Amino acid sequence: MKKWYYRLSLRRRLLLSFLLLAVSASALTGLVSYWIAYRSTEQEAAVSAQNTLNKSAQLLNERLKNAIVATSSMMLSDPFKTTMNDIYAASPGSYYQRLTELQIPLAQMKLTDMSVASVLISTPIGELFATSDLRTPSVRLENTLFGSRIPDMNQVMWVESHTDPLFMDRRQVITLVMKPITDVSVSGVYVLVNMKEEVLRSLVTDGLPGGARGYYLVSRTTGLPVMRLGEAGGLPDNPQLLQSLRENERGFLKLEADGKTNLANYARLDLAADWVMVSIQDQQLLLKNVNKIKTTSLLIMGVCTLAALLAANGMSGFLLKPLHRLQGMMRQVENNRLNVRFASKFDDEVTQVGHKFNRMLEQLETLIDEVKLAEGEKRRMEIKALQAQIDPHFLYNTLNAMIWKSVSSRNQEVTEMINSLSLLFKLGLNGGSELTTLEKELEHVRHYLNLQQQCYRGLFRYEIAVEDESLLELQVAKIILQPLAENAILHGFRELEGQGFIRISARRSGRFLLLELEDNGAGLDVRAVTAGMLQKEPAQKSYALKNVYGRLKLLHGEQADLAFSSDPFQSTKAVITIPIEGEASA
């Protein structure tokens, strides 16, 4: 990871930094906003659900209260009191009269409360009920589902939803069972009020969100349903919920089931202490607004990231523009353009580096000028030294030959040699210039060969050939052919039995001038001679060739060369290659 980061350009690192900063800030802001909205909405959803549940429980409480009040009012009526007195007096003969008298109070109860389906008064002298309700004769009260619970009841008992077994309409009802309110003490008297389940359910569920789905009315003791509201069946089997229902009158808690989180709210009914209303809602549905906030936050993060990328790209380009300009100038300096200078309107760190870069270029130009002057002086001194090394060597051989002829009284030959030597030195001096024309160089080697023929009569013969006379005006280093001719005479012809032959030629090859010197002497070890020329400290026998090779490189550049080939006693050749000035490279 580090290596990948280190390979990135400065601009890409800036882009990455801006992007990470923007994404981190957006993500942090989005997460905090989401967390605040989540907690706030969760609390509001719980409170809202609890308030809705409390209102529904209050409505049901009111209706149950109304049923108790209506029943109590009926018990305070004169027909009911008279009936209770007859029971107390054990006078069953007035049963039909009391049944007739009670029709008006019983009808008033049904008219007053539309949820009342039927009313049954169970007494020792017989059952009293509205004659409009058809009693099921085969079912006795003590044989009903709840009949066994009546002897142990308090003043009021509520019976959960069931199909009415006492009347033939077989309605789904909730039954209110009350003991009588009377001035006399009677036993075995119970008032049963059957209330229509659909009316009670409609009262509770109308206006609830989701059509009462997830709402339950259950027994807090068993968790079994008392009346179906929105869901068939009982509560989900959750011990934590049942424990909360038994211990608290109202509240809410979270339930985890099947990978989902539900919010459960509950409220106990005041008039039916064992009954509790419960709502269980999916938390995701309750917090759907939070999910919208999350989606919006993600969208904002994406937009911020894109904006940050565009802004970072533009900002990095603007900030790095002077640096890129400085980088471009450095590339120009690599191509030997030292006259470039950095300039900027800003006064920042990059500008300070650019000014130091300018000072470095100025110092570099000064240093290069000094090096050029020193190098030029060095080259002139080297050429002088090389020339001084060649001249004494040749002069020694020539004077030695002249002394020998003088001793032999061959004065005419000595005079000719002195004349040739004079012209040889004149051409060699060349007015102090290190370059001469090809014509003068060939004249110089001709005088040298004439002198050597005087020294070594009959040893060799020579010829000089020029391919094109226009070549005679070309500039060449002076005294480059004479050392080659000297090497052929002194070393090539030493073991030659017959007469030696030297041929010097000049010709053009492309943009190069080729000077060739060929002899039929004993030849040479090409590899050893070439190695000797290239050594910094050559052997004594390679000294003259080393001097020629060095002057060619100094005066004509690296393209100049001196090469050899050898076939002993057949053809030994030295080839000088000189680039012709003023002609483009092929």
Side-chain angles (χ1 to χ4, degrees):
M1 184 65 179
K2 286 185 178 180
K3 291 183 179 179
W4 171 81
Y5 181 76
Y6 292 152
R7 287 198 298 267
L8 292 177
S9 65
L10 178 59
R11 181 169 186 174
R12 291 186 181 276
R13 292 202 299 273
L14 284 174
L15 281 173
L16 185 61
S17 300
F18 278 122
L19 190 61
L20 288 176
L21 180 62
V23 171
S24 300
S26 300
L28 182 60
T29 303
L31 289 175
V32 172
S33 301
Y34 177 74
W35 183 81
I36 294 174
Y38 178 86
R39 294 304 299 268
S40 176
T41 306
E42 182 184 40
Q43 188 68 27
E44 290 178 0
V47 172
S48 176
Q50 187 66 46
N51 290 336
T52 301
L53 189 69
N54 290 341
K55 290 179 180 179
S56 298
Q58 184 178 2
L59 288 174
L60 186 57
N61 266 321
E62 290 292 332
R63 184 55 59 93
L64 298 182
K65 180 180 177 181
N66 290 340
I68 293 174
V69 170
T71 304
S72 299
S73 297
M74 185 271 297
M75 291 179 183
L76 295 176
S77 66
D78 291 337
F80 186 83
K81 288 181 179 181
T82 303
T83 303
M84 294 301 103
N85 289 331
D86 289 347
I87 294 172
Y88 179 77
S91 177
S94 59
Y95 168 77
Y96 288 103
Q97 182 181 355
R98 302 294 173 251
L99 178 63
T100 302
E101 292 173 351
L102 285 170
Q103 293 303 308
I104 293 176
L106 294 177
Q108 287 178 343
M109 284 186 64
K110 296 177 69 174
L111 290 174
T112 303
D113 190 345
M114 299 300 296
S115 63
V116 176
S118 59
V119 179
L120 175 67
I121 304 173
S122 177
T123 71
I125 64 173
E127 296 178 338
L128 305 171
F129 53 88
T131 55
S132 59
D133 297 328
L134 300 178
R135 175 76 168 87
T136 304
S138 60
V139 179
R140 298 179 60 85
L141 176 60
E142 56 268 23
N143 296 330
T144 61
L145 176 67
F146 51 88
S148 59
R149 287 185 273 168
I150 290 179
D152 299 326
M153 64 174 281
N154 296 320
Q155 180 65 33
V156 178
M157 181 180 75
W158 289 95
V159 180
E160 64 272 13
S161 175
H162 61 282
T163 301
D164 183 6
L166 301 175
F167 293 91
M168 296 183 67
D169 56 5
R170 307 289 293 176
R171 285 178 179 276
Q172 199 72 18
V173 295
I174 288 177
T175 301
L176 167 64
V177 182
M178 289 184 66
K179 291 180 179 180
I181 301 174
T182 180
D183 295 333
V184 295
S185 177
V186 294
S187 60
V189 178
Y190 302 99
V191 179
L192 285 76
V193 181
N194 291 321
M195 304 186 69
K196 302 173 186 176
E197 180 182 317
E198 67 271 15
V199 175
L200 295 178
R201 181 167 55 247
S202 176
L203 174 70
V204 173
T205 60
D206 283 353
L208 288 178
R213 182 178 182 179
Y215 282 77
Y216 305 86
L217 184 62
V218 298
S219 168
R220 63 189 299 194
T221 303
T222 64
L224 297 176
V226 172
M227 180 178 71
R228 185 174 69 85
L229 296 179
E231 299 283 355
L235 283 175
D237 185 12
N238 189 294
Q240 181 185 2
L241 176 59
L242 290 177
Q243 183 179 358
S244 296
L245 296 181
R246 296 186 184 114
E247 294 177 354
N248 305 296
E249 291 189 359
R250 57 177 47 84
F252 76 94
L253 70 158
K254 288 184 180 181
L255 302 178
E256 301 289 342
D258 301 328
K260 294 197 309 180
T261 301
N262 295 322
L263 290 178
N265 297 78
Y266 56 92
R268 183 176 64 84
L269 298 184
D270 296 333
L271 297 177
D274 191 51
W275 291 3
V276 59
M277 188 175 290
V278 182
S279 71
I280 298 179
Q281 304 294 329
D282 187 350
Q283 181 175 261
Q284 292 298 323
L285 295 177
L286 294 175
L287 302 180
K288 57 184 178 180
N289 290 333
V290 178
N291 292 329
K292 291 181 180 179
I293 293 175
K294 181 170 66 174
T295 303
T296 304
S297 298
L298 292 175
L299 181 61
I300 292 174
M301 286 175 59
V303 172
C304 290
T305 300
L306 180 60
L309 184 61
L310 296 176
N313 185 57
M315 189 177 296
S316 61
F318 175 73
L319 293 176
L320 295 178
K321 188 175 181 180
L323 193 59
H324 288 161
R325 189 164 68 250
L326 182 59
Q327 185 183 32
M329 290 182 178
M330 289 180 178
R331 291 195 184 99
Q332 295 183 52
V333 171
E334 289 179 357
N335 296 325
N336 297 325
R337 292 185 60 185
L338 302 180
N339 59 339
V340 296
R341 291 295 182 270
F342 178 81
S344 176
K345 299 178 180 179
F346 301 100
D347 189 17
D348 52 14
E349 291 81 356
V350 177
T351 303
Q352 294 176 11
V353 172
H355 291 163
K356 291 181 180 180
F357 177 71
N358 291 342
R359 287 195 294 271
M360 182 192 71
L361 290 179
E362 293 170 358
Q363 295 174 359
L364 186 61
E365 284 185 322
T366 301
L367 182 60
I368 289 175
D369 291 339
E370 293 176 355
V371 169
K372 284 182 178 180
L373 291 175
E375 186 65 22
E377 187 64 24
K378 177 182 176 183
R379 290 179 63 177
R380 285 191 293 271
M381 295 299 294
E382 287 178 346
I383 291 172
K384 293 291 185 182
L386 290 172
Q387 182 63 45
Q389 291 170 355
I390 292 176
D391 289 345
H393 185 75
F394 167 68
L395 185 60
Y396 171 80
N397 290 334
T398 303
L399 291 177
N400 197 32
M402 292 174 66
I403 292 172
W404 177 77
K405 287 185 178 292
S406 178
V407 171
S408 302
S409 300
R410 298 164 66 176
N411 296 330
Q412 182 62 34
E413 293 179 7
V414 172
T415 301
E416 292 176 359
M417 292 180 68
I418 291 173
N419 185 48
S420 293
L421 184 61
S422 174
L423 293 173
L424 184 68
F425 278 136
K426 180 180 179 182
L427 293 171
L429 291 173
N430 194 35
S433 175
E434 302 301 331
L435 293 175
T436 186
T437 62
L438 177 61
E439 181 179 14
K440 291 182 178 180
E441 179 61 17
L442 293 176
E443 186 68 21
H444 179 270
V445 75
R446 180 179 289 108
H447 284 296
Y448 172 78
L449 292 173
N450 287 337
L451 286 171
Q452 293 294 51
Q453 282 183 330
Q454 293 291 333
C455 294
Y456 307 106
R457 286 204 175 264
L459 180 63
F460 69 93
R461 60 186 180 86
Y462 74 89
E463 69 176 29
I464 298 175
V466 178
E467 180 184 64
D468 185 354
E469 290 188 359
S470 63
L471 300 177
L472 296 175
E473 299 300 323
L474 295 178
Q475 294 288 311
V476 298
K478 65 181 181 181
I479 315 178
I480 54 175
L481 292 174
Q482 177 267 327
L484 301 179
E486 180 181 16
N487 190 67
I489 295 170
L490 298 182
H491 302 290
F493 297 155
R494 180 180 300 173
E495 300 177 2
L496 184 64
E497 295 180 358
Q499 187 180 34
F501 176 72
I502 295 175
R503 184 178 187 277
I504 299 173
S505 63
R507 61 185 178 88
R508 177 193 291 268
S509 177
R511 64 185 189 88
F512 294 96
L513 171 65
L514 299 184
L515 301 179
E516 298 179 356
L517 189 146
E518 184 179 8
D519 68 77
N520 62 343
L524 48 80
D525 186 343
V526 174
R527 183 175 300 178
V529 171
T530 303
M533 287 193 309
L534 299 177
Q535 290 178 1
K536 291 184 178 181
E537 298 294 336
Q540 184 65 32
K541 62 181 180 179
S542 301
Y543 205 70
L545 299 179
K546 170 67 176 178
N547 288 338
V548 173
Y549 181 77
R551 289 200 299 133
L552 285 172
K553 293 292 184 182
L554 286 172
L555 295 173
H556 295 288
E558 290 300 319
Q559 290 184 316
D561 195 19
L562 173 59
F564 295 92
S565 63
S566 179
D567 183 8
F569 302 111
Q570 296 296 325
S571 174
T572 298
K573 186 181 296 185
V575 180
I576 296 174
T577 303
I578 298 175
I580 299 175
E581 293 184 4
E583 295 193 6
S585 300

